[in-house]
Amino acid sequence: MKQVCTLLLSLFLLACESSSEIPVDPGNLLIGNWINPEYDNETVTYQRSSNLKADAPGVSFQSNAVFVQRTSGFCGTPPLTFYDQEGVWKTEESLILITNDYFPGNFNWRIITLDANQLVVKRELSDQEKDHRDLMDLFNEISELANSVSCTNAGDWTFTAYGSKACGGAQGYIAYSNQIDTEVFLQKIEAYRVAEHEYNIKWSIASTCDLPQVPVSVECQNGYPVLNY
């Protein structure tokens, strides 16, 4: 009987020692390190850990509002090199708002479940991401209109600047045919320039200050317009 009690006591102390290795803030269960992300459609499940792994993805919510994401980037091509991206975080009810210096700069996670051991979140578009999506939708309209006719006669084609770099000037140049509704096309080009300029100011976007090279002509290759420089 004494041996059984001793064994039970040892197991209890071992369990206490093990659990004490992973600190949990009872006032805010989110604070801590979260590893082993498992993706299921739009949700991600993390497990609490005492530390982030050196060679695996994870996130850390620190008590001083610092957010750390250990990542290998978007490519995911071996050999993977992991590094930290730091930012700041805060919560609004069940929403985690994260800001850092990496694209998209601002993003949100909706807390689905959270306890002492597990965190399940769902990615929600931030206001910045919604604005960026609107920009991309407008550019897709421009691109679709520009490519709505086949390039068979280079004499029917010209080009124009598009976009607005944060440091000033155009993002680049795009070819278009005089066989499309050029008035509507150029209106969309101007709308995109204004929208990107406002986006840059609103979200404090930075860019290089070099200017894109200006094309000298357009030629047709396999039905597509190609800019010559």
Side-chain angles (χ1 to χ4, degrees):
M1 182 65 180
K2 182 178 179 180
Q3 291 178 335
V4 173
C5 292
T6 302
L7 177 61
L8 290 175
L9 179 61
S10 299
L11 291 174
F12 175 77
L13 293 174
L14 181 61
C16 291
E17 180 180 355
S18 177
S19 62
S20 66
E21 294 178 357
I22 305 179
V24 177
D25 186 341
N28 190 338
L29 294 177
L30 184 61
I31 293 174
N33 302 301
W34 301 92
I35 63 171
N36 299 336
E38 295 183 1
Y39 299 88
D40 182 13
N41 294 323
E42 297 181 345
T43 64
V44 186
T45 300
Y46 291 93
Q47 306 300 324
R48 189 184 295 275
S49 175
S50 56
N51 295 288
L52 296 180
K53 295 180 178 179
D55 57 352
V59 296
S60 177
F61 296 93
Q62 300 178 10
S63 58
N64 59 355
V66 171
F67 171 76
V68 178
Q69 182 171 28
R70 186 152 296 172
T71 178
S72 60
F74 292 103
C75 293
T77 303
L80 299 180
T81 300
F82 286 85
Y83 57 93
D84 290 346
Q85 294 181 346
E86 292 193 5
V88 296
W89 68 275
K90 65 178 181 179
T91 56
E92 291 183 359
E93 297 182 347
S94 65
L95 195 65
I96 311 171
L97 292 83
I98 300 168
T99 303
N100 60 31
D101 293 330
Y102 307 89
F103 181 82
N106 301 275
F107 60 93
N108 302 333
W109 285 347
R110 177 72 63 183
I111 298 175
I112 306 302
T113 60
L114 170 62
D115 57 35
N117 301 308
Q118 190 176 82
L119 168 66
V120 182
V121 294
K122 176 182 177 182
R123 182 67 178 270
E124 290 195 4
L125 290 179
S126 66
D127 290 340
Q128 182 183 357
E129 289 173 310
K130 291 175 183 176
D131 288 348
H132 188 265
R133 175 172 288 185
D134 289 341
L135 268 180
M136 294 301 96
D137 288 344
L138 180 53
F139 188 80
N140 286 339
E141 291 179 15
I142 291 171
S143 181
E144 288 175 3
L145 186 53
N147 293 290
S148 61
V149 297
S150 179
C151 186
T152 56
N153 182 2
D156 293 337
W157 290 75
T158 186
F159 56 85
T160 186
Y162 71 87
S164 176
K165 297 184 70 171
C167 198
Q171 289 280 11
Y173 291 85
I174 186 171
Y176 66 98
S177 170
N178 59 21
Q179 302 301 308
I180 65 173
D181 190 330
T182 57
E183 182 177 356
V184 170
F185 178 79
L186 294 176
Q187 286 175 351
K188 290 181 181 291
I189 287 287
E190 176 60 13
Y192 182 79
R193 184 194 67 78
V194 172
E196 187 168 34
H197 176 70
E198 293 175 348
Y199 174 87
N200 292 338
I201 294 174
K202 180 178 181 179
W203 299 110
S204 302
I205 303 300
S207 74
T208 60
C209 295
D210 56 310
L211 296 177
Q213 187 177 0
V214 182
V216 294
S217 64
V218 180
E219 69 176 74
C220 295
Q221 294 183 7
N222 300 318
Y224 292 96
V226 177
L227 297 173
N228 292 322
Y229 296 90

